[in-house]
Amino acid sequence: MFIKKIVILFSGEGTNLENIIKKLHNKEFNDTKIVVSKAITNNPLANGIKRAKREGVEVEIIDHKKYTSREEFDKELVKAIKKESPDLVVLAGFMRILTPIFTENIKNAINIHPSILPLFKGANALKRSFESDMKVAGVTVHKVSSELDSGEILEQDCFKKDRLSFEEFEKRIHELEYEIYPKVIVDILIKKK
Ligand code: GRF
């Protein structure tokens, strides 16, 4: 039996974090067991902290407000990640702009973004995608690179916007995220992608 370790980074609600833990933590896929070895947040008040702990996953809080620059924060973050020697680093609603300190040291990181990239990069993507006159919307899983929301696209899925209310739209986006993100993680860890 092989063991593959992941570290999850989050900043807020943590519903993707919880979904990934529930579907993958300590689960076996062929001859490989996936372990979420740690979850790390920059936000001491993030709801995801309770969610991770409830599922038995250790949380480390690295409060970005205690650091004088993005680089200093990223140094601490990189150190905490490297301590775990993860096979994959999974960003799930991690709301920090990363510096080269992160991207040059952590090469195996992926992110999920609530739009069909390269459209609606950056903040408020979900709202901007909802308000656009596009007929479809969706989500993207991509590699983390030095440019925001611009790394290689690994997976995407979309749906017709029709006449969904904002609440219904948001729900559809999250449902898609919960479906595709764990699948991509498993694919990467058992080397299909
Ligand atoms: C998700 O929509 C994700 O695509 C974006 O941030 C949101 C995080 O939600 N990057 P949650 O914290 O997982 O509930």
Side-chain angles (χ1 to χ4, degrees):
M1 175 71 57
F2 297 100
I3 303 235
K4 296 278 182 178
K5 287 207 277 180
I6 65 176
V7 165
I8 305 178
L9 311 185
F10 68 102
S11 296
E13 202 47 55
T15 61
N16 277 282
L17 161 92
E18 182 174 352
N19 177 60
I20 293 165
I21 296 173
K22 282 194 162 136
K23 289 189 178 152
L24 306 185
H25 183 47
N26 284 333
K27 302 276 189 302
E28 289 170 22
F29 301 86
N30 302 330
D31 55 354
T32 302
K33 181 172 168 177
I34 296 179
V35 173
V36 180
S37 72
K38 190 177 262 189
I40 302 177
T41 184
N42 63 301
N43 174 9
L45 302 176
N47 263 336
I49 297 172
K50 283 185 230 131
R51 293 179 192 269
K53 286 188 174 165
R54 207 162 50 211
E55 300 302 321
V57 169
E58 190 193 334
V59 180
E60 179 163 348
I61 301 168
I62 305 175
D63 185 352
H64 67 274
K65 292 193 208 81
K66 293 190 176 151
Y67 297 85
T68 48
S69 66
R70 286 190 189 281
E71 286 76 13
E72 288 305 311
F73 169 76
D74 277 4
K75 265 187 211 163
E76 213 43 47
L77 180 59
V78 165
K79 219 197 291 172
I81 293 170
K82 288 204 162 167
K83 229 189 289 167
E84 302 299 315
S85 306
D87 296 283
L88 187 66
V89 178
V90 174
L91 277 63
F94 187 60
M95 309 303 279
R96 297 293 302 161
I97 302 220
L98 299 166
T99 71
I101 304 267
F102 184 98
T103 52
E104 279 165 20
N105 283 289
I106 306 292
K107 296 292 184 192
N108 52 348
I110 59 173
N111 182 40
I112 191 155
H113 189 74
S115 76
I116 305 173
L117 289 173
L119 299 169
F120 313 115
K121 291 180 184 179
N124 302 317
L126 199 145
K127 185 162 177 283
R128 288 185 289 135
S129 160
F130 176 74
E131 287 170 354
S132 83
D133 59 7
M134 285 185 65
K135 298 291 181 198
V136 292
V139 306
T140 304
V141 178
H142 64 93
K143 288 189 182 167
V144 172
S145 69
S146 55
E147 213 186 311
L148 183 67
D149 299 327
S150 301
E152 181 191 339
I153 291 172
L154 299 172
E155 188 58 288
Q156 287 183 310
D157 207 348
C158 64
F159 58 88
K160 277 272 198 186
K161 284 160 78 180
D162 291 325
R163 285 189 200 82
L164 298 179
S165 67
F166 180 72
E167 287 69 30
E168 291 164 336
F169 178 82
E170 197 176 23
K171 191 164 171 269
R172 286 295 301 275
I173 291 283
H174 288 309
E175 281 166 0
L176 262 195
E177 292 184 331
Y178 305 153
E179 192 187 316
I180 79 169
Y181 212 8
K183 278 192 195 154
V184 175
I185 296 167
V186 171
D187 282 351
I188 292 172
L189 291 175
I190 61 173
K191 293 280 181 274
K192 277 199 213 141
K193 277 200 190 281

